[in-house]
Amino acid sequence: AISEARKKMSAEDKAKLNPITELIQKQELEYQKTTKVMEELSNILNIPNISNIEAFDNSNINGASAVSAMVSFVDGKPNKKGYRKYRVKTVEGANDAATMYEIVTRRYSKITNYPDLIIMDGGAIQVNSCLKALQDINVNIPVCGLVKDDNHKTNNLLYNDEIIEISKSSNLFKLLTQIQDEVHRFAITYFHNTHSKNLFSSQLDNIKGIGKVKKTQILKLLSEPDFETNLKSLKLNEEQIEEVLKILNK
């Protein structure tokens, strides 16, 4: 009956109907990828009304320039205003568990608007370290881990010491993969920026005549758009400016 009615519609009416149909289809697809996925995650973990998720990952090279990063997803979408970056302050060397303990403690001892779920990029070590940190500051938030396979790809969900397998073709698996990839990307980017700055800073020590004060001034200029012009305002000689630019452009 509907198809017969459509046949009798004028071309103009059909043209008006198509954008509406497309909009409905787009909204349905969006619902399947966001709200419906969050409902599915809530059911699987038996946690009511999951909406706000915060995920963590660490990055370092043998403990050097160690950083951690957190991304926020609200209703299945990245909430970039909620992203946070952390320099590791208390941990010596590469110690993922201790790093997670420090960062989780710092994060949740300062806020009161907690997420519905914390996701750790990792397995039991990271999850248990997070749970211990939360316990020590008397904060109760569910924590799960995203376990990777031998190819370092998202594989399973770890929650309450149980491995939960999720269909790799499902929208939920795609969302979890997106979260894991995003927090890893954010952590790696922050690590590279931090490591490059630390390396640059240490190499400045080798330039004759550049002391602690000048070094601090040079490092502050790194975020400025016209670094070379601003460098000249620090009253460095031509040889010093040349050496600084040589290090920067390595």
Side-chain angles (χ1 to χ4, degrees):
I2 295 175
S3 59
E4 286 298 320
R6 283 184 66 92
K7 286 178 185 178
K8 293 177 183 178
M9 289 173 64
S10 67
E12 186 180 348
D13 288 337
K14 286 180 182 177
K16 288 178 183 176
L17 185 61
N18 284 338
I20 296 172
T21 305
E22 287 175 12
L23 180 61
I24 292 170
Q25 290 173 342
K26 188 176 180 181
Q27 288 175 337
E28 174 62 22
L29 187 62
E30 184 75 8
Y31 168 76
Q32 293 291 336
K33 288 183 176 180
T34 55
T35 308
K36 185 106 165 53
V37 169
M38 301 306 284
E39 290 172 359
E40 186 181 347
L41 184 60
S42 291
N43 291 334
I44 287 173
L45 300 180
N46 197 25
I47 300 170
N49 305 319
I50 295 176
S51 172
N52 184 6
I53 294 173
E54 293 185 351
F56 292 83
D57 190 19
N58 302 324
S59 186
N60 65 78
I61 294 181
N62 297 323
S65 304
V67 301
S68 189
M70 185 210 84
V71 299
S72 168
F73 274 64
V74 177
D75 294 330
K77 298 177 186 177
N79 170 36
K80 298 206 171 181
K81 288 183 179 178
Y83 284 22
R84 295 291 182 271
K85 297 179 286 192
Y86 299 90
R87 284 178 184 259
V88 179
K89 295 179 179 179
T90 64
V91 180
E92 294 292 332
N95 187 329
D96 219 28
T99 298
M100 283 285 68
Y101 183 91
E102 177 196 321
I103 302 307
V104 168
T105 301
R106 284 166 57 188
R107 170 66 178 164
Y108 298 110
S109 60
K110 292 180 179 178
I111 66 169
T112 54
N113 186 22
Y114 303 131
D116 304 308
L117 177 69
I118 295 173
I119 292 180
M120 309 304 290
D121 182 19
I125 290 173
Q126 291 78 10
V127 169
N128 290 335
S129 183
C130 178
L131 287 169
K132 179 69 168 66
L134 293 173
Q135 181 183 2
D136 288 349
I137 57 173
N138 295 314
V139 172
N140 184 23
I141 307 170
V143 182
C144 68
L146 287 174
V147 185
K148 295 178 180 177
D149 60 20
D150 293 338
N151 297 315
H152 214 62
K153 298 289 185 183
T154 307
N155 194 27
N156 294 312
L157 200 60
L158 174 67
Y159 183 61
N160 282 346
D161 295 323
E162 291 185 11
I163 292 290
I164 301 170
E165 292 188 8
I166 297 167
S167 169
K168 290 180 171 55
S169 62
S170 68
N171 284 327
L172 175 56
F173 186 84
K174 289 171 186 174
L175 174 63
L176 294 174
T177 301
Q178 182 189 359
I179 292 172
Q180 190 164 39
D181 289 347
E182 178 66 355
V183 71
H184 184 66
R185 177 202 66 78
F186 193 51
I188 285 288
T189 301
Y190 181 44
F191 164 74
H192 283 313
N193 291 340
T194 303
H195 186 61
S196 297
K197 190 171 182 178
N198 289 346
L199 197 60
F200 179 68
S201 174
S202 65
Q203 290 176 333
L204 289 177
D205 294 332
N206 299 324
I207 301 176
K208 190 177 179 181
I210 292 184
K212 202 169 184 179
V213 174
K214 279 282 187 279
K215 179 178 168 181
T216 302
Q217 292 172 334
I218 292 168
L219 291 172
K220 283 182 179 177
L221 292 179
L222 283 174
S223 58
E224 299 293 327
D226 197 346
F227 178 75
E228 187 172 349
T229 301
N230 290 326
L231 202 57
K232 292 173 182 176
S233 70
L234 298 182
K235 297 180 181 177
L236 302 175
N237 62 44
E238 289 300 321
E239 187 179 343
Q240 288 171 329
I241 291 173
E242 188 178 327
E243 286 298 314
V244 171
L245 293 175
K246 193 184 294 183
I247 291 170
L248 186 65
N249 296 319
K250 273 185 179 179

